[in-house]
């Protein structure tokens, strides 16, 4: 049994919104095992999003913790109008935004080598092991991409990461950020152009 | 015919498939005939691939354990976080550190009770009390599995009568088994779950036998936690 798994046998037979509803109902009923399950199901996406938005793994871990504590406190207010996933994403983005402001006030804005320290291992996902040269090259590319992301404004970065990295639809991005579809599209367009300009050499290399 | 500037302002929406059919067709027509815009579109698509291909980042240990630790403090629920603590994060020193605290509490309570019932007693915070602390790794003070202490391996498997447990949630049992130095079961404690329903399961667990666990060459007693629900029986969690 891996660390995060709790048997909620009937729950696993459900999928999507039905599972979310059941999970939320049980959490509200004070079932700690259900809440543990909720955390285990979502912690991967929460950490990844926070780490990409903040560019710092330690901070991302703290944010992830705070996010789930807030989820726990606010579950009573979850209305089920959006999916549980977008609701949690929204809390993540808000927390990251607050941290970001806090950092800037403190003048702390370093970046660490995220992909080297926190990337999920390829082997664990059934991927091919790559040569050390290839692994280094990939890491350097990932590092360039992450730096370029951090150079965008927080608004642009969050739409782009939600859309392209997390794979949400434009509608889901709009629901997550609580902004109109049109705003998502125009921010996405500007974010893509800005990132393209920063990474044009990488992109040409990829296209060739 | 659309101008290059207009086309470029629509490329992002075009990639997302959010243009109207008419607009999309106009963009496509332009892109097939304009080398600059075509390259631009290809680069934007490549950018999407680059971002989607970024590796997922993972916290070094599960966040669930930390969150539940914090919630324990906030809501005073029992030690559910045990379930989520990683192997290396098991706390081998927690129990030993509790022993002196309990001893102090017992002597103070004994003192108070004695005061209640007669002449002033002599209160013994005797150093002798320390000798009563079971040695670490014995049945009274078992170790927890960690990087150095292996999980006990079962030698005699028993069928767990789980049919009495209904559903998950309240049908789930959380138990602690203390495996003695000879591999027998020294003690089984129900930590969470319905005590009546647990009787049969606890009896069965007492009949389990394990390969003795060794730590630095000596056989040691080890405490393991298990979570048992009606349908699934999970390996010991640590």
């Amino acid at each position: 049994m891996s660390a995060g798994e709790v048997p909620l046998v009937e729950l696993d037979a459900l999928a999507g919104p039905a599972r979310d509803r059941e999970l939320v109902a049980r959490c509200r009923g004070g079932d700690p095992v259900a809440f543990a399950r909720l955390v285990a199901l979502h912690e991967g996406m929460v950490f990844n999003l926070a780490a990409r938005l903040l560019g710092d793994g330690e901070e991302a871990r703290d944010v992830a913790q705070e996010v789930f504590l807030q989820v726990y406190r606010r579950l009573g207010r979850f209305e089920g109008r959006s999916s549980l996933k977008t609701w949690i994403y929204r809390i993540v983005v808000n927390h990251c935004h607050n941290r970001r402001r806090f950092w800037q006030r403190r003048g702390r804005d370093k970046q660490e080598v995220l992909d080297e320290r926190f990337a999920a291992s390829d082997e664990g996902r059934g991927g091919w092991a790559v040569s050390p040269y290839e692994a280094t090259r990939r890491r350097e590319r990932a590092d360039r991409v992450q730096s370029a992301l951090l150079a965008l404004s927080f608004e642009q970065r969050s739409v782009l990461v939600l859309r392209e990295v997390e794979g949400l639809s434009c509608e889901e991005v709009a629901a997550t950020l609580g902004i109109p579809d049109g705003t998502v599209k125009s921010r996405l367009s500007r974010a893509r152009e800005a990132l393209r300009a920063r990474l044009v050499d990488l992109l040409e290399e990829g296209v060739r | 015919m659309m101008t290059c500037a207009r086309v470029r302002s629509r490329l992002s929406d075009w990639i997302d498939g959010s243009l109207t059919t008419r607009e999309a067709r106009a963009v496509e027509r332009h892109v097939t005939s304009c080398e600059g815009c075509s390259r631009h579109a290809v680069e934007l698509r490549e950018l999407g691939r680059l971002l989607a291909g970024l590796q997922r980042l993972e916290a070094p240990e599960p966040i669930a354990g930390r969150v539940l630790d914090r919630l324990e403090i906030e809501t005073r629920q029992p030690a559910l976080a045990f379930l989520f603590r990683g192997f290396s994060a098991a706390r081998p020193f927690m129990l030993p550190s509790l022993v002196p605290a309990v001893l102090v509490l017992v002597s103070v309570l004994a003192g108070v009770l004695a005061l209640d019932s007669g002449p002033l007693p002599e209160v013994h915070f005797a150093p002798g009390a320390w000798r009563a602390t079971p040695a670490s790794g014995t049945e009274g003070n078992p170790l927890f599995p960690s990087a150095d202490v292996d999980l006990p391996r079962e030698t005699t498997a028993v069928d767990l009568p789980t049919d009495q447990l209904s559903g998950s949630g309240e049908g789930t049992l959380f138990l602690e088994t203390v495996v003695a130095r000879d591999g027998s079961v020294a003690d089984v404690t129900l930590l969470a779950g319905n005590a009546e329903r647990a009787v049969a399961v606890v009896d069965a667990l007492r009949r389990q036998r394990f390969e003795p666990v060794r730590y630095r060459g000596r056989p040691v007693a080890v405490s393991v936690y298990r979570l048992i629900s009606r349908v699934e029986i999970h390996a010991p969690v640590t």
Side-chain angles (χ1 to χ4, degrees), chain B residues 8 48-49 53 80 98-99 114 116 133 157 178 193 227 238:
Chain B
R8 290 196 184 184
R49 256 197 297 278
L80 194 77
L98 282 178
V99 171
D116 222 24
T133 310
V178 176
L227 189 71
T238 55

Side-chain angles (χ1 to χ4, degrees), chain A residues 44-45 48 52 118-120 125 165-166, chain B residues 54-58:
Chain A
M45 70 176 214
N48 188 63
R52 291 288 173 209
F118 295 97
R125 298 183 302 167
V165 181
E166 294 297 319
Chain B
L54 284 176
Q55 280 190 299
R56 302 293 297 178
L57 303 175
E58 263 178 15

Side-chain angles (χ1 to χ4, degrees), chain A residues 101-113:
Chain A
R101 277 198 300 226
F102 172 78
W103 277 17
Q104 279 158 1
R105 247 183 288 136
R106 291 281 176 105
R108 178 188 164 191
D109 215 341
K110 52 143 189 161
Q111 195 212 334
E112 64 169 354
V113 196

Side-chain angles (χ1 to χ4, degrees), chain A residues 48 65 118 163 192 196, chain B residues 12 16 43 57-58 66:
Chain A
N48 188 63
Q65 257 190 80
F118 295 97
R163 175 83 182 102
R192 281 177 173 142
R196 188 197 72 93
Chain B
S12 173
D16 280 329
E43 283 172 4
L57 303 175
E58 263 178 15
R66 293 164 135 248

Side-chain angles (χ1 to χ4, degrees), chain B residues 20-166:
Chain B
T20 63
T21 324
R22 229 179 109 186
E23 277 181 311
R25 233 177 262 143
V27 169
E28 272 151 38
R29 257 201 311 276
H30 180 100
V31 164
T32 44
S33 63
C34 170
E35 204 193 322
C37 289
S38 163
R39 197 180 331 121
H40 202 103
V42 169
E43 283 172 4
L44 286 182
R45 275 193 203 282
E46 180 62 20
L47 183 70
R49 256 197 297 278
L50 204 59
L51 288 168
L54 284 176
Q55 280 190 299
R56 302 293 297 178
L57 303 175
E58 263 178 15
E61 78 257 23
I63 289 159
R66 293 164 135 248
V67 172
L68 292 165
D69 264 342
R70 294 269 304 270
L71 277 176
E72 257 178 70
I73 300 164
E74 293 199 1
T75 65
R76 311 227 164 253
Q77 272 170 354
L80 194 77
F82 263 125
L83 297 177
F84 294 88
R85 204 159 287 137
F87 208 67
S88 56
R91 294 185 197 154
F93 299 114
M94 190 183 70
L95 216 58
S97 69
L98 282 178
V99 171
V102 169
L103 283 176
V104 168
L105 187 70
V106 166
S107 11
V108 170
L109 277 179
V112 169
L113 286 176
L115 264 179
D116 222 24
S117 63
L120 207 61
E122 286 180 49
V123 179
H124 296 282
F125 291 104
W130 287 99
R131 260 178 263 137
T133 310
S136 168
T138 61
E139 288 69 25
N141 188 2
L143 298 178
F144 290 84
S146 65
D148 300 320
V149 180
D150 290 334
L151 266 178
R153 227 170 315 145
E154 207 176 26
T155 53
T156 310
V158 291
D159 279 334
L160 293 178
T162 51
D163 39 314
Q164 295 176 35
L165 306 172
S166 66

Side-chain angles (χ1 to χ4, degrees), chain A residues 1 3-4 6-10 26 30 32-33 35-36 39 43-45 47-48 51-52 61 64-66 68-69 72-73 114-115 118-120 122 125 141-142 145 149 160 163-166 170 185 188-189 192-193 195-196 199-200 202-204 206-207, chain B residues 8-13 15-16 18 39-40 42-44 46-68 70-71 74-75 77 80 83-86 167-169 172 227-232 234-237:
Chain A
M1 171 170 167
V6 168
L8 285 181
V9 179
E10 301 124 45
R26 287 195 197 189
V33 177
F35 184 68
V39 177
E43 66 169 68
M45 70 176 214
F47 181 82
N48 188 63
R52 291 288 173 209
R61 200 170 53 175
Q65 257 190 80
E66 294 302 324
F68 284 115
L69 290 173
Y72 186 81
R73 289 189 212 109
L114 254 190
D115 286 81
F118 295 97
D122 267 340
R125 298 183 302 167
R141 282 165 67 102
V145 176
L149 274 174
L160 203 57
R163 175 83 182 102
E164 302 277 34
V165 181
E166 294 297 319
C170 289
K185 285 174 190 160
L188 261 179
S189 175
R192 281 177 173 142
E193 291 301 338
L195 206 63
R196 188 197 72 93
L199 296 175
V200 73
L202 273 191
L203 295 173
E204 280 169 356
V207 172
Chain B
R8 290 196 184 184
S9 72
R10 280 168 173 69
L11 283 178
S12 173
D13 286 350
I15 287 171
D16 280 329
S18 52
R39 197 180 331 121
H40 202 103
V42 169
E43 283 172 4
L44 286 182
E46 180 62 20
L47 183 70
R49 256 197 297 278
L50 204 59
L51 288 168
L54 284 176
Q55 280 190 299
R56 302 293 297 178
L57 303 175
E58 263 178 15
E61 78 257 23
I63 289 159
R66 293 164 135 248
V67 172
L68 292 165
R70 294 269 304 270
L71 277 176
E74 293 199 1
T75 65
Q77 272 170 354
L80 194 77
L83 297 177
F84 294 88
R85 204 159 287 137
S168 51
T172 302
L227 189 71
I228 299 176
S229 65
R230 184 173 48 122
V231 181
E232 290 172 83
H234 293 272
V237 288

